[in-house]
Structures are given as C-alpha cells and as structure tokens.
Amino acid sequence: MNDREAIEAAFFAAGSAIDALTLARLLNKPKKQVITVVRGLIADYAGRESGIEILDLGERYVMQVKPAYADIVRPFAPKELSAPMLRTLSMIAYHQPLVQSDLIDQRGNSAYDHIRELKERGLVEAVPHGRTKLLRTTPLFADYFGLESNDPEVIKQKIVELSRQQSGQSGLNKWLGRRFVGVTPMYESLMGMCGIRDYRVINAYDPTEEELEDLADIYKLVISRGYRERVSKYYDGEIIEVGSTTFGDLIEAMKALENISDPEKVKESTELIEDLEERYVSKALVFSKKVKPATEMVARIVKDLRLGVSAEGVVIAPDYGLSAGGVNVSEGADILVPTHRSLDGTLTERVCSKYDAILTGLKNIQG
C-alpha cells in the first residue's frame, strides 16, 4: 500500500483533522516518517490547480475546500450550525468551563436544544457538576474552526484577537459564522454598486422575530444615517451609517464598504456617478435665478449643483411636509424635492430624481 495515497484517502474520509500519531499507527510507520510524507502531500496540493488544500495545524492535519470556493460548494456541504447555536457555542468557548445553568440563564431555555446538538456533533462535552453540568469544547471544535489547540486559553486568545479586528465585532462574527452583510431595503442597490454578493436585505429598524434571527447571521449592517441608536437595540455587530442625498453621498457610502467590495466594480460605479454629477452641474449653469434652500438636505443638493443662494431666492423644500420638530417645511415652497418616502428605484435613480426636480422647477420658473 502506497503511504502517500493511504494518507490522502484518510484525510478525505475523515472530514476533520487527524494527528500525526494516528496516521503513524494507521500505517505502522514511525511518526517522523509519516510527517515527511504529509509535508510532501501538502506541498503537492499547494502546487496544483485544485479547490482542495491540506492544512498543518501543528502535527494535526485537515483536508478542506479552499476558502475561495467555500461559498460555491456551501449548498452541497453538511448542514451548518445556526446563528443562535453559534452564539451559544461562542459563549461556551470563551467562558469554559461554563456552568450549564449559568448559560441557560443568559441564553434562555432554547440553549438546551443547542447544547444537545453541539454534543451530538462532538463540538461540546458536558461533565457532571453537582446538580448541573460543566460545558467545554472538544478537540473537534478546534478542528472545526481551524485552531491548533483546544486549550481554553488558546481559544480565548483567538476570540479576543478576532474581536479586535475589523471594527471590533466583525472579525469574531465571521469566525463564528456570520457571513453576510445586512442592508436595509433602500440600500440594496448599493450592494450592486460595490460588487458585494453575500448580503441579505433586512428590516433592521423594527424587525420581526424571524428578522431578529436573520440579524444573527450578519457581521456588518448598512443603514440610513441617524438610525444607529434605534438599530443597536436589536443588533450588536458593526453598523455602517450611509446617506443618499447627493452623488457625493453615494461615493462616500462605497468608500465605507471598500474593505469588502470589488475594487473594479467600485471604480466603475464611481466613474459613472462622477460623470452624472458633471452633467447635472453643466445643466445647472444655464440658470441665473438664485435659490433659498429650506433645509440642510436641500442645501447640500444646491451646493452640489453650484446654484447661487439668496435669502430672497426661489424657495426649495423637501416634499415630506412636517419635520421632526413639527414644522411644515414644504408649505410655501416654489419647488418641492422628492424624498425617499415618494421615490422608488436604485440609489442613483433616486438622487437623479431629486436633482431633476430642482432643475425642472427652475426651468419652469425662469421660463
């Protein structure tokens, strides 16, 4: 029997990490000799065009799909841990050995089901502790998350390290299974502008029970500027606030997501927006009448169009009527600018509609 082929077959069949000693016993060969064979196999896989790789976890080895192909093959993979179950597992991993009754106090009775399945999967073990149990992770947990050791301190260090990366929570969330960017419906087109595919559209402002579960799968959440406090009641991950009043807002929104975006797609989208902005500025040059913005939002659009401003100018206001302070900002306006309440379409189309409303209004007034 060829040692190299036998080891490769063992890696394929195992579905989890195998240590060098186990391989040595399997082949009835010295451990040192087996390690040499494994290193050659690792180098062979690294040098070929393959979607599979073999990782060295410190004399423990695992064959796995390369990260670049993980999303493609996910539909064919065994059922993943749910987001709520991953949260339960993360608490056990960080605080282990963790008293089961303490975990139930924090996670609720649903954690009993989580513990049962985690035990069935071999990721957690429970040891009797008085009238309750002590929970801790198993070596299979280390294999599952690509760690070199199941030592509690090593695991805790890894969690702390990841929680410090990418604005605090997102690195940890990715490791624990939150794989999607969340986005409110109005900003779905922003995902296309950035070339982001792994996203979920979700109502983050007033989520249902089902939507709360969806939030648990998300490691970044894109919302409208000014809603952070409201959303943070339901979501503990990274929140990115963006605006969509002007073309400049759209460019800033893409910059806020640049670390997870497709650079080529962002470049293409940015050039398109900058070209649109130049065209609107050129159209606005023909108007000599000065304007009077009724709100800060309108003032930003007026500035973008480089229109002249005067206290006696044409009054331009948003169409939403009453402001948060109870003032009717739309009353008496010469030109009304449509806002998100009355607009549909992509973010770019919405911005164009606002600019068009002002230029059309000025054209009608100037004659």
Side-chain angles (χ1 to χ4, degrees):
M1 183 171 60
N2 182 294
D3 292 347
R4 185 187 180 91
E5 292 177 0
I7 290 173
E8 184 178 26
F11 286 154
F12 179 83
S16 59
I18 307 177
D19 62 81
L21 185 58
T22 298
L23 290 172
R25 290 171 179 164
L26 174 70
L27 299 176
N28 195 25
K29 297 287 176 67
K31 187 172 107 172
K32 187 175 181 180
Q33 182 178 335
V34 167
I35 289 174
T36 300
V37 175
V38 172
R39 285 175 178 168
L41 193 59
I42 290 173
D44 181 31
Y45 269 80
R48 67 170 76 164
E49 291 184 2
S50 172
I52 304 296
E53 63 183 358
I54 300 173
L55 298 183
D56 184 344
L57 302 176
E59 296 194 1
R60 290 169 46 252
Y61 311 96
V62 64
M63 177 182 281
Q64 66 176 29
V65 174
K66 287 181 178 178
Y69 301 100
D71 289 338
I72 297 174
V73 302
R74 185 169 287 122
F76 307 101
K79 181 184 175 184
E80 293 182 349
L81 298 173
S82 68
M85 195 178 303
L86 278 164
R87 287 193 173 195
T88 297
L89 179 57
S90 70
M91 289 188 67
I92 296 170
Y94 187 82
H95 297 287
Q96 65 179 306
L98 179 61
V99 177
Q100 180 172 290
S101 56
D102 291 343
L103 176 65
I104 300 302
D105 286 342
Q106 296 182 62
R107 296 286 293 142
N109 288 333
S110 61
Y112 282 119
D113 293 332
H114 300 164
I115 293 167
R116 183 176 65 253
E117 184 166 344
L118 291 169
K119 286 167 61 180
E120 289 174 355
R121 293 189 180 217
L123 298 172
V124 165
E125 62 180 4
V127 179
H129 180 72
R131 295 184 178 181
T132 184
K133 296 176 181 177
L134 282 179
L135 304 172
R136 53 170 61 94
T137 59
T138 67
L140 185 57
F141 170 88
D143 296 343
Y144 190 94
F145 289 107
L147 301 176
E148 294 185 6
S149 170
N150 188 50
D151 180 87
E153 283 305 311
V154 172
I155 293 171
K156 191 169 186 175
Q157 271 186 345
K158 181 67 173 178
I159 291 175
V160 171
E161 172 194 333
L162 287 165
S163 69
R164 288 173 178 166
Q165 295 174 0
Q166 301 181 38
S167 302
Q169 280 289 324
S170 63
L172 177 60
N173 290 336
K174 276 186 172 180
W175 188 64
L176 293 175
R178 292 182 177 183
R179 295 181 174 84
F180 299 95
V181 176
V183 60
T184 53
M186 192 172 92
Y187 288 99
E188 181 175 6
S189 61
L190 179 61
M191 300 296 98
M193 291 161 65
C194 293
I196 297 171
R197 296 181 179 180
D198 293 335
Y199 70 88
R200 287 184 178 175
V201 179
I202 187 165
N203 166 29
Y205 305 122
D206 188 22
T208 62
E209 287 296 321
E210 185 177 345
E211 287 167 335
L212 284 173
E213 289 292 318
D214 289 338
L215 280 171
D217 287 331
I218 290 164
Y219 70 95
K220 288 180 189 286
L221 179 62
V222 181
I223 64 172
S224 293
R225 193 177 290 134
Y227 286 86
R228 177 182 295 273
E229 185 175 349
R230 179 173 175 179
V231 170
S232 60
K233 296 176 185 177
Y234 312 107
Y235 177 69
D236 63 355
E238 181 181 355
I239 295 175
I240 300 174
E241 295 180 276
V242 295
S244 58
T245 297
T246 67
F247 289 121
D249 286 339
L250 302 188
I251 293 174
E252 287 301 314
M254 287 190 287
K255 286 181 179 177
L257 296 168
E258 61 185 357
N259 64 327
I260 55 170
S261 299
D262 177 348
E264 288 302 314
K265 185 61 179 177
V266 170
K267 181 182 178 183
E268 176 188 321
S269 299
T270 300
E271 289 174 351
L272 172 64
I273 291 169
E274 288 175 342
D275 181 59
L276 276 171
E277 185 175 20
E278 285 181 13
R279 280 195 247 167
Y280 274 99
V281 170
S282 297
K283 290 179 182 179
L285 289 174
V286 301
F287 300 111
S288 58
K289 277 192 174 293
K290 293 188 177 182
V291 300
K292 179 184 178 182
T295 66
E296 191 274 336
M297 180 204 83
V298 175
R300 293 178 60 227
I301 299 176
V302 166
K303 181 179 179 182
D304 221 25
L305 289 170
R306 300 175 196 172
L307 294 169
V309 177
S310 167
E312 306 301 322
V314 175
V315 179
I316 304 176
D319 67 353
Y320 52 69
L322 293 179
S323 67
V327 177
N328 191 336
V329 296
S330 302
E331 188 176 2
D334 299 301
I335 299 173
L336 289 177
V337 179
T339 52
H340 68 273
R341 300 177 188 179
S342 54
L343 287 173
D344 292 315
T346 66
L347 290 175
T348 304
E349 289 169 345
R350 287 167 179 251
V351 173
C352 287
S353 294
K354 296 170 187 174
Y355 285 49
D356 284 334
I358 293 177
L359 297 184
T360 300
L362 286 174
K363 182 180 180 181
N364 291 337
I365 291 170
Q366 189 164 300

